Amino acid sequence: MQWHYRCATCGATYEITPDRYLCDPCARGQQAARPLEGILEAEWEGDMPGAGVIPLPVEAAWFPPIPVGNTPLWAPERLRRDFAAPGLWLKDDTCNPSGSFKDRASYLVAAFARKHGVKEVVLASTGNAASSMAAVGAAAGLPIKVFLPAAAPIAKRIQVLQYGAELIAVDGTYDQAFDLSLEYSTKTGSLSRNTAYNPLTIEGKKTVAFEIVDDLLRAGAGAPAHVFVPAGDGVILAGVYRGFENLLKLGRVDKIPVIWACQAEGSSAIARALAAPFSASDPFGPPRASKTVADSIAVDVPRNGLHALGKLRRYGGRAVIVSDSEILAAQKMLSAGSGLFAEPSSSAAFAGWLKVRDRVPGGENCVLLITGSGLKDIEAAARGLALET
Ligand SMILES: *Cc1c(COP(=O)(O)O)cnc(C)c1O
């Protein structure tokens, strides 16, 4: 297999090297506080991988010794009955080592870093990417430096320190942490794992699509018709699409499911852009300060917004916006109705499904991506419980 990067905008190709992040000509027009231009996708030529193999741009031997992915896909029987939804499935990525979906990206980035003898991996994060890279970095023996907003939930901060990474608390937003970390990695030559900016963060997340298709087949349930994805920066969303694009190329599925971008009312840039006219020259417009209980999907600027929007438009993806009270109510309903305690961002996927389920034909498979553990943000869950009384 021969791998390279291809620009999702202009089609230019690049070698996959540690200092390659964006497409130069496309990124040249980048404006401050706007989604990234010149996002690159990994692509292979030549041999098709064997049955059951997920094609990835780093050889298996480089992956660190920690069990990422292969998370359970299961049927929440009581919720199925209560909502007359026999096709409802939960893909439980809280089972990843650091408790979130982000481990899928960290795993590929760590493998790449090992292969290329990278000295340090640097990133900004709202919390989960940091705790994830710290965990996977610990398994790999890689030094990790994270720029984290001081307001990140305490469990995520403690995880970072517990795994032995270096934490730089940023007295500001995630967006400011993003810029600071880029300044640092550009200056030092450290590998940046900033989400969207490093193309491997998108590529690493595609593995979930392969697993969903295999899991459903094994369960005798056919192909996924809908996948509900909590979206902030839009990297998981684009990663899921990349996975299905690969699966289509490999002939393992015959169509791409309807992907639903589930966003919080206080951080809904991708949903708003999808609703904007196709001809709008700047569908994202100026950034809006985010405000939601779902910290993992709170972004002022969706870094992968343009890329994610392109996929949603191309494949007829949809978006659904849910309020904080809907998120917290859904969090409790999911916990008490299935036994899966998810953090608010992931509960937004369930809240989104609750909101649009009448528009989804009854028997069709709906897979909810449950991306993070509820234990990562106990305060948010406590707020939800307080609202009940
Ligand atoms: C990061 C994250 C998301 C959102 O992913 P994006 O790529 O930013 O859209 C959703 N859920 C959890 C738990 C996350 O950590």
Side-chain angles (χ1 to χ4, degrees), residues 27-388:
R28 206 162 286 139
Q30 181 71 47
Q31 295 184 351
R34 283 292 197 282
L36 290 172
E37 311 259 1
I39 293 287
L40 299 177
E41 296 180 344
E43 197 181 73
W44 83 88
E45 275 169 332
D47 300 351
M48 289 294 184
V53 176
I54 303 179
L56 285 166
V58 182
E59 298 79 4
W62 295 105
F63 284 81
I66 184 167
V68 171
N70 292 313
T71 57
L73 178 94
W74 54 279
E77 294 294 350
R78 287 183 52 230
L79 292 176
R80 282 181 166 199
R81 211 171 46 231
D82 291 351
F83 293 103
L88 185 64
W89 298 91
L90 305 175
K91 179 66 172 168
D92 182 7
D93 259 55
T94 73
C95 290
N96 277 307
S98 83
S100 92
F101 190 98
K102 296 283 193 294
D103 289 355
R104 294 178 184 273
S106 301
Y107 195 44
L108 179 60
V109 170
F112 181 75
R114 289 175 98 196
K115 175 173 174 175
H116 291 276
V118 161
K119 297 281 185 297
E120 182 185 48
V121 179
V122 180
L123 72 154
S125 167
T126 64
N128 280 337
S131 47
S132 166
M133 195 67 240
V136 177
L142 283 166
I144 309 296
K145 191 196 289 278
V146 307
F147 291 75
L148 205 63
I154 186 157
K156 301 181 183 183
R157 271 185 288 147
I158 295 298
Q159 273 188 296
V160 167
L161 296 170
Q162 185 70 21
Y163 294 128
E166 186 185 343
L167 191 157
I168 296 174
V170 176
D171 187 18
T173 63
Y174 164 59
D175 299 82
Q176 289 163 323
F178 193 98
D179 294 340
L180 282 175
S181 80
L182 270 194
E183 241 169 69
Y184 175 86
S185 59
T186 307
K187 200 173 69 202
T188 58
S190 297
L191 182 70
S192 173
R193 183 227 178 271
N194 275 9
T195 195
Y197 179 70
N198 184 327
L200 298 177
T201 58
I202 304 170
E203 181 71 4
K205 288 173 180 163
K206 77 181 187 183
T207 55
V208 76
F210 285 80
E211 292 175 20
I212 288 171
V213 166
D214 283 353
D215 295 341
L216 285 176
L217 262 183
R218 214 171 302 125
H226 302 265
V227 184
F228 287 76
V229 181
D233 278 313
V235 175
I236 299 183
L237 196 76
V240 169
Y241 270 121
R242 279 308 284 158
F244 282 107
E245 285 175 341
N246 282 186
L247 286 156
L248 201 59
K249 167 169 163 169
L250 293 167
R252 297 188 201 168
V253 296
D254 50 27
K255 69 176 186 356
I256 295 201
V258 178
I259 312 281
W260 294 80
C262 304
Q263 293 210 282
E265 213 164 63
S267 177
S268 60
I270 292 174
R272 291 197 313 269
L274 186 62
F278 217 81
S279 56
S281 61
D282 183 8
F284 285 95
R288 286 196 205 169
S290 59
K291 191 174 180 343
T292 166
V293 66
D295 68 292
S296 301
I297 50 174
V299 301
D300 297 356
V301 180
R303 300 292 163 165
N304 204 41
L306 289 167
H307 187 223
L309 179 65
K311 301 279 186 215
L312 286 164
R313 282 179 169 169
R314 179 162 180 192
Y315 298 111
R318 315 283 289 271
V320 50
I321 295 176
V322 289
S323 69
D324 277 7
S325 51
E326 287 171 319
I327 289 172
L328 292 174
Q331 181 179 39
K332 177 67 195 301
M333 196 182 290
L334 180 63
S335 302
S338 75
L340 180 45
F341 180 21
E343 65 160 70
S345 59
S346 321
S347 306
F350 183 50
W353 176 79
L354 286 170
K355 204 159 194 167
V356 302
R357 69 196 162 85
D358 292 343
R359 289 152 61 186
V360 172
E364 289 190 350
N365 284 322
C366 288
V367 178
L368 313 187
L369 276 197
I370 306 301
T371 48
S373 164
L375 292 174
K376 281 172 166 280
D377 189 0
I378 288 298
E379 261 178 50
R383 269 174 63 188
L385 292 177
L387 286 177
E388 280 190 335

